[in-house]
Amino acid sequence: MELGMIGLGKMGGFMTERLIKGGHRVVGFDRDPAVVKGLAAKGAVGADSLEKMIAQLKAPRIVWLMVPSGAPVDQTIDQLTAHLAPGDTIIDGGNSYYKDTVRRGAALAPKKINFVDCGTSGGVWGITEGYSMMVGGDADLIKRISPIFQTLAPGPDKGWGRVGPTGSGHFVKMVHNGIEYAIMQAYAEGLDLLRHKKEFGLDLLQVGQIWQFGSVIRSWLLDLTVDALSKNPTLQGIEAYVTDSGEGRWTVIEGVELGVALPAISSALDNRFRSQDPEPFANKLLAMMRNEFGGHAVRKTAS
């Protein structure tokens, strides 16, 4: 099977390599010509424009998008639809907001251009371990293009599946990432508590390695945590700043809209927000309130 790949950054590039090794023909396009050239050397067919990429694909064409969520997806789809024909398929494999995905699918339907959303997890490890893919779209279409997912997944019959109609794949991936926030937060807090018990002299790396085997909390995230600690046990030089990709926010908002309590995920998201604030005004105000009503001491900054 052949397909076009738009966005050959780290994850898109790794997916392209895995598809090529699986026997698929991939025509790749990226705004960076050097990236296209690099993947062409690994077996991809390079294209220096969307038009040239589409021209090198046989109808009905399949184009996979790995571009940042939001406006870049809309802009790319607009550029593509001018050159695609009825029966062609666009797959959005990025982290798009599911409501945007539903809107895009509805807009493409009158043009008879198929739209599939594929929530993709696996990161940089996917090229060797395979990707977890949560796919939304028409059942018959997904069955027809299933060789693509079977090649990218850890196995033909595991790690991927159609979860529902257009939008459902990105919805499931959104919740997946919300869960990820909470699990990461739990590991971080637990290990931080161990670190503070100074009289026991606990070795966090050793504890993590013990938990990797037989423990109910063993996981791939724990394995990655142990790997990080083995390289930098004290996290020297790492700033306590945690970014959020947006999917945690969308998950919490969905919980509010549906009236579903998400205390662990919400707390993890709040912690990320707090880490991004170099001078948390709320904490300063708390200190001043205590000073006002109780005369409690306030620590002054050097400036």
Side-chain angles (χ1 to χ4, degrees):
M1 186 166 285
E2 67 171 24
L3 71 155
M5 178 71 73
I6 299 177
L8 304 176
K10 187 171 288 185
M11 194 159 172
F14 286 157
M15 295 175 80
T16 297
E17 287 187 49
R18 190 172 175 91
L19 286 165
I20 293 169
K21 290 177 182 177
H24 299 274
R25 178 177 181 268
V26 182
V27 182
F29 168 73
D30 192 275
R31 291 185 300 175
D32 185 348
V35 174
V36 177
K37 185 177 179 180
L39 279 172
K42 296 180 179 179
V45 179
D48 58 12
S49 70
L50 290 178
E51 294 83 356
K52 290 182 180 179
M53 181 202 71
I54 294 169
Q56 296 183 75
L57 295 172
K58 296 177 183 178
R61 291 158 291 204
I62 303 170
V63 180
W64 187 301
L65 309 185
M66 288 301 289
V67 298
S69 64
V73 177
D74 286 314
Q75 292 164 3
T76 305
I77 290 175
D78 287 343
Q79 293 172 13
L80 278 173
T81 51
H83 304 281
L84 295 179
D88 290 342
T89 298
I90 298 174
I91 304 172
D92 181 3
N95 284 331
S96 291
Y97 185 33
Y98 84 95
K99 291 185 178 180
D100 289 338
T101 300
V102 172
R103 169 179 57 79
R104 290 164 185 149
L108 289 170
K111 302 174 183 178
K112 299 190 183 305
I113 295 175
N114 304 308
F115 193 57
V116 172
D117 54 304
C118 179
T120 311
S121 181
V124 298
W125 295 90
I127 188 172
T128 55
E129 303 296 322
Y131 295 92
S132 173
M133 292 170 292
M134 300 134 261
V135 187
D138 178 77
D140 290 336
L141 170 65
I142 291 171
K143 184 177 181 180
R144 189 164 71 248
I145 64 176
S146 63
I148 295 172
F149 304 117
Q150 291 170 347
T151 299
L152 289 170
D157 58 351
K158 61 182 179 181
W160 82 277
R162 176 188 180 268
V163 295
T166 301
S168 63
H170 282 151
F171 181 80
V172 173
K173 177 58 164 54
M174 177 189 77
V175 177
H176 164 283
N177 280 27
I179 294 170
E180 178 185 300
Y181 277 38
I183 295 174
M184 291 173 68
Q185 186 68 29
Y187 279 133
E189 291 178 6
L191 289 165
D192 194 26
L193 179 60
L194 295 177
R195 184 180 68 90
H196 276 81
K197 195 64 174 177
K198 302 296 185 183
E199 62 266 35
F200 285 164
L202 299 170
D203 181 338
L204 299 188
L205 176 58
Q206 180 200 29
V207 172
Q209 289 170 333
I210 291 171
W211 288 348
Q212 282 182 288
F213 301 94
S215 167
V216 71
I217 63 168
R218 66 188 184 275
S219 72
W220 186 43
L221 272 174
L222 177 61
D223 293 342
L224 296 176
T225 302
V226 168
D227 182 59
L229 289 172
S230 70
K231 297 172 183 174
N232 189 351
T234 61
L235 304 185
Q236 183 70 29
I238 305 299
E239 186 179 352
Y241 182 100
V242 188
T243 61
D244 67 289
S245 63
E247 295 206 323
R249 300 184 188 208
W250 300 337
T251 303
V252 172
I253 290 170
E254 193 70 23
V256 172
E257 291 181 350
L258 295 179
V260 177
L262 305 173
I265 296 173
S266 298
S267 177
L269 178 63
D270 288 343
N271 190 71
R272 294 195 181 197
F273 291 159
R274 183 55 56 89
S275 79
Q276 296 166 17
D277 190 348
E279 291 191 27
F281 181 78
N283 286 359
K284 292 183 179 183
L285 197 55
L286 286 171
M288 291 307 300
M289 287 179 191
R290 294 182 76 250
N291 177 262
E292 288 292 323
F293 69 68
H296 300 288
V298 175
R299 293 187 181 184
K300 300 294 182 67
T301 61
S303 58

